Every structure is written in structure tokens, then in C-alpha cells.
Amino acid sequence: MIDSSVFQGKKAAYFTLGCKLNFSETSTFGRMLGELGVLTAAKGEQADLCIINTCSVTDVADRKCRQAIHRIVRQHPDAFVVVTGCYAQLEPEKVGSIEGVDLVLGANEKDRLVQFLSDSFANGGEETVISVTRHTKDITTFAPSCSRGSRTRFFLKVQDGCDYFCTYCTIPYARGFSRNPTIASLVDQARQAAAEGGKEIVLTGVNIGHFGKSTGESFIDLVRALDDVKEVERFRISSLEPDLLSDELIDFCAKSRAFMPHFHIPLQSGSDEVLRLMHRHYDSRLFEEKIIHIKDVMPQAFIGVDVMVGSRGETEDCFDETYRLLSRLPVSQLHVFPYSERPGTAALKIPLVVPEQEKRRRSQLLLVLSDEKTRAFYAAHIGTTAEVLMEKAPRGRAMHGFTPNYIRVELPAQESGPELDNKIVRVELGQFTRDMSALQAHLI
């Protein structure tokens, strides 16, 4: 039983580390608590409650989470501090031992956040309560989430967990096995987002291509159903594994009403030997075929690619294979990150270790390549027109937004205004901005 009276007048601060899925879940926490009378603390204001949603994709992420928790506890010394997310699931005792942390919730427990808080507040605030389901097979709950927080676009959680167990990754241990809600429930959430003013929805999850395992449905079925939600003008698909990116899905997106020509596909390595060591479910040839197919049916599509450098077993020749593959493929941007040792993963059994200095060198080479490809992609659209979903900006500053194929554009301050926030407008794309991060644009 939730006692709503214990929430009245409290002010909460929300902190998200990591992926879009975490952002979506944190926004949902805020919405649920707001419905119980909890106010969002203004910047610089002391909070009564702090919710920290953590990431654990790398050891750097772990370190940033610990630093963030310590910083937030210092900034809000009298707050009730809740830590959840992947780092909390994997290292609950370590998180719970941090002075000032009052509640640690794992992946199976975060959907009962409000009940935990109600019980704690009613009892005067229990300290260092840890509630974490320890075994991956027992993480079975699915917490619905479709939220935008302070952003224009909504993030719809369509799936959680992963069955792949790549040798470098701890996410299945943090999130559990793949699971999902029904298509009907997600269609309802999309319609609700539209009723709240949402014009663009991003489909998020851990391994969204595995959608349907829980319900006997499929990801392409979901995409078709959402495309029929006429109230939503745009959908985007977040990271999708190459082996789960079917030609049928690509062809549907090419002709769909609302799914944008924008893909994010994890490669991790262009070396088949490294992919084998990682236990990935595809080879470089399949990845290349998917990229070519996308460009054949959607020549203007933006394609982002995840690349891991310096993983165990990645020789210089293996890295060169990755570099050559990405150099010749028409991808638009690379998300480059160095391999990070994760305790308990099978990758630790691979003997060849890449020195940190060499990881940095390889990362830099790919980052330069990424900049070249992104700028070339943008430059090819100078002088064209596009429809852009505008996002609010501080008073007097230029507004920005994204084209259907994810080119970031900026309007000059004199053409910007609050009336354009969350509006789709037609613009002409001009030259690069001074920092080369966007194209200048003018209203048509």
C-alpha cells in the first residue's frame, strides 16, 4: 500500500548515467513521483530525494558512477539517496557502502521504487537498504517506460535484457535475459505520448531486435504497428544488432510513413577473428551487406556504428581490417570506445592484451575517420531542404533540431523563438556552423 501523504512537498533531483534506456527509465521515475506530489528540485536547490540511475558498460562508467554518487551526496547532504541501474545491480554492496546512500535497487526491483520509498519514508527513512535479485535468470520484471523528461523527443522502452553474452560484456548480468511487453501496450504508450505533444519517439532497449521473445511477436510486427499510429509523426530505431536487422525491416523503413532513414548498428570489430573471440553473432561480410542494402534503398540514410578498439586478441592486423572496412563503407559516424576489462567476463581468458597507449592510438585513428565521414555526409546536403523538428534553446540562443536523416541544424537567433519548440519546420540547409557540429539553416 502506497501512502501518498509521505511524498507531499518533497523535492527530488534525478541523475542519469549511460544510455537512452536509462534516460527513459529515469524520466518515468520522475513522472510517477510527480503524480504523488513530489516536485522536481531546481538547479542548485537542495533536494529531499535523489534518484541516481547508473551505468556499468565499462570500468570508466563504474568509476564515473562512484564519483557521481559521492558528488551528489555532498551536494545534497540531507537527501534520501536511491541508487539503481546496472552498476547498482552488479556491485550492490560496494554502492551500499558509500556513505549517504540509503537505498540500492537492482534491475528486478526498480519498478517498485515508489513502494520502497513509501515504506522507507513512513518508517522515518531506513538507511542502506539493498534489494537486488542476484541471478540473471531471476531478473524477469519489465518496467514500462515512455518518457521525454526535458527533451522534445520521447523514448519508448520496447525491450529489456540480452541473451547474447558477448565475451566482453556484463549487461546480461545487470539486465537479465531478453523480455518485452506486448505490441498492443506499446501502441497505447505511443498514442499517449502523442497526446502529450510527442512528435518523435525513439525505440529503446538493450537488444531491441530480440523483441517478441516474451510474447511470440516480432520486431518487424512492432514497427508495422507503430507506423500505423498516425498521431506520431516520427519514429527512430536505436541500436540494432546486424544479425537482427532483417532486409524486410530495412525495406519497410525505406517506404514507411514515419520511420526515419536513420540506423545505429554495432559493429565492434571489422575483423572476423576478433568477432569470433567476442562471440558476436555475425561476420564482417554480413555487416557490410546490411550497410550496402540500407544505402541501396535509402541513399540519404544516416548510419551510426559502434566500434570497440583494443579488445583482447585484437592484433594490429585485426585493427587494420576494421579500419579498412569502415573506410570503404558509406557509414556516417563512428561511436568509438576502448575495450575495458570487466570482472567475470570470458574475455579475460584471451591471452593477448593490447597496451593502453595502443588503444588510444587506434581510437584516435577511428575518431579522425569518423569526423571525416560525418562532415562529408553533412556537406553532401548543403543547399538542400529538409523538415526539422526544432528543440527549445536558452533565450537569445540559436535553436537546433534534426532532419529525418539525423543532420543537426541550427537556426540563427533572429529566426528562433519559443513558438518553434517541438514544431516541424521546413528549412534550407546552409554551411557548417563555426564549430562544425551542425549545418546553419534558414526557415523557408
Side-chain angles (χ1 to χ4, degrees), residues 26-41:
T26 304
S27 297
T28 297
F29 296 153
R31 176 181 295 187
M32 291 190 301
L33 291 171
E35 291 172 352
L36 292 169
V38 177
L39 305 174
T40 299

Side-chain angles (χ1 to χ4, degrees), residues 393-412:
R395 184 181 297 274
R397 298 282 297 276
M399 296 185 74
H400 76 273
F402 290 90
T403 65
N405 58 344
Y406 211 59
I407 294 174
R408 190 178 191 275
V409 304
E410 285 189 3
L411 285 181

Side-chain angles (χ1 to χ4, degrees), residues 257-290:
R257 176 193 65 84
F259 277 84
M260 298 293 97
H262 173 200
F263 292 86
H264 190 106
I265 310 171
L267 169 64
Q268 309 308 9
S269 176
S271 162
D272 289 339
E273 172 61 18
V274 174
L275 291 174
R276 184 187 64 78
L277 291 172
M278 290 178 169
H279 289 182
R280 300 294 283 167
H281 291 236
Y282 54 88
D283 58 19
S284 59
R285 180 178 178 181
L286 182 135
F287 179 86
E288 183 169 3
E289 288 172 352
K290 296 302 179 183

Side-chain angles (χ1 to χ4, degrees), residues 111-153:
D111 64 326
R112 302 201 302 276
L113 169 69
V114 171
Q115 186 65 64
F116 276 105
L117 289 174
S118 176
D119 294 343
S120 293
F121 291 160
N123 294 328
E126 296 182 37
E127 295 186 354
T128 318
V129 177
I130 298 176
S131 183
V132 175
T133 299
R134 302 294 176 154
H135 300 292
T136 300
K137 65 181 177 61
D138 296 323
I139 301 174
T140 57
T141 62
F142 184 92
S145 176
C146 183
S147 301
R148 65 176 171 182
S150 60
R151 303 188 185 187
T152 295
R153 65 186 63 86

Side-chain angles (χ1 to χ4, degrees), residues 102-218:
D102 300 292
L103 177 61
V104 181
L105 296 180
N108 228 27
E109 292 74 30
K110 67 175 73 171
D111 64 326
R112 302 201 302 276
L113 169 69
V114 171
Q115 186 65 64
F116 276 105
L117 289 174
S118 176
D119 294 343
S120 293
F121 291 160
N123 294 328
E126 296 182 37
E127 295 186 354
T128 318
V129 177
I130 298 176
S131 183
V132 175
T133 299
R134 302 294 176 154
H135 300 292
T136 300
K137 65 181 177 61
D138 296 323
I139 301 174
T140 57
T141 62
F142 184 92
S145 176
C146 183
S147 301
R148 65 176 171 182
S150 60
R151 303 188 185 187
T152 295
R153 65 186 63 86
F154 278 71
F155 294 87
L156 175 60
K157 177 181 174 182
V158 304
Q159 181 271 345
D160 203 346
C162 184
D163 297 350
Y164 273 7
F165 288 90
C166 299
T167 58
Y168 56 83
C169 185
T170 59
I171 295 304
Y173 306 103
R175 288 274 182 177
F177 293 127
S178 182
R179 56 203 183 277
N180 60 273
T182 64
I183 289 176
S185 69
L186 293 168
V187 166
D188 287 343
Q189 289 181 67
R191 289 203 169 103
Q192 180 59 38
E196 295 174 18
K199 289 184 169 60
E200 179 173 303
I201 294 178
V202 181
L203 309 188
T204 66
V206 176
N207 189 352
I208 63 175
H210 258 171
F211 174 89
K213 178 184 174 183
S214 304
T215 58
E217 299 166 309
S218 69

Side-chain angles (χ1 to χ4, degrees), residues 163-423:
D163 297 350
Y164 273 7
F165 288 90
C166 299
T167 58
Y168 56 83
C169 185
T170 59
I171 295 304
Y173 306 103
R175 288 274 182 177
F177 293 127
S178 182
R179 56 203 183 277
N180 60 273
T182 64
I183 289 176
S185 69
L186 293 168
V187 166
D188 287 343
Q189 289 181 67
R191 289 203 169 103
Q192 180 59 38
E196 295 174 18
K199 289 184 169 60
E200 179 173 303
I201 294 178
V202 181
L203 309 188
T204 66
V206 176
N207 189 352
I208 63 175
H210 258 171
F211 174 89
K213 178 184 174 183
S214 304
T215 58
E217 299 166 309
S218 69
F219 188 65
I220 184 65
D221 291 337
L222 172 64
V223 168
R224 288 194 181 103
L226 291 174
D227 200 54
D228 285 337
V229 181
K230 300 297 194 293
E231 301 93 327
V232 179
E233 298 188 46
R234 292 180 169 186
F235 287 98
R236 296 187 191 273
I237 299 172
S238 63
S239 183
L240 191 59
E241 293 287 319
D243 54 300
L244 299 176
L245 177 57
S246 68
D247 291 348
E248 182 183 16
L249 176 63
I250 294 169
D251 292 340
F252 180 85
C253 289
K255 299 176 181 177
S256 78
R257 176 193 65 84
F259 277 84
M260 298 293 97
H262 173 200
F263 292 86
H264 190 106
I265 310 171
L267 169 64
Q268 309 308 9
S269 176
S271 162
D272 289 339
E273 172 61 18
V274 174
L275 291 174
R276 184 187 64 78
L277 291 172
M278 290 178 169
H279 289 182
R280 300 294 283 167
H281 291 236
Y282 54 88
D283 58 19
S284 59
R285 180 178 178 181
L286 182 135
F287 179 86
E288 183 169 3
E289 288 172 352
K290 296 302 179 183
I291 301 300
I292 298 304
H293 190 167
I294 291 171
K295 284 296 189 176
D296 281 346
V297 297
M298 287 175 277
Q300 302 307 314
F302 181 101
I303 304 175
V305 177
D306 289 338
V307 195
M308 181 185 295
V309 299
S311 61
R312 286 198 174 213
E314 184 187 71
T315 65
E316 188 166 349
D317 286 343
C318 290
F319 172 75
D320 288 344
E321 289 180 53
T322 299
Y323 189 91
R324 289 195 300 270
L325 176 67
L326 291 170
S327 294
R328 70 172 183 267
L329 288 179
V331 299
S332 313
Q333 189 177 55
L334 308 178
H335 177 209
V336 183
F337 53 100
Y339 165 74
S340 176
E341 304 273 59
R342 311 303 291 137
T345 56
L348 298 182
K349 299 176 183 177
I350 301 171
L352 177 63
V353 177
V354 179
E356 291 300 317
Q357 184 176 355
E358 179 61 14
K359 288 183 190 178
R360 289 191 291 270
R361 185 188 74 85
R362 295 176 187 180
S363 294
Q364 189 58 36
L365 286 172
L366 287 177
L367 288 170
V368 170
L369 178 63
S370 177
D371 284 345
E372 292 172 353
K373 286 186 170 289
T374 303
R375 289 172 184 173
F377 183 79
Y378 275 34
H381 291 79
I382 292 174
T384 64
T385 61
E387 291 187 338
V388 176
L389 177 60
M390 301 308 302
E391 301 185 12
K392 64 183 178 182
R395 184 181 297 274
R397 298 282 297 276
M399 296 185 74
H400 76 273
F402 290 90
T403 65
N405 58 344
Y406 211 59
I407 294 174
R408 190 178 191 275
V409 304
E410 285 189 3
L411 285 181
Q414 60 269 28
E415 294 185 35
S416 301
E419 71 280 0
L420 295 182
D421 180 33
N422 199 33
K423 295 291 190 299

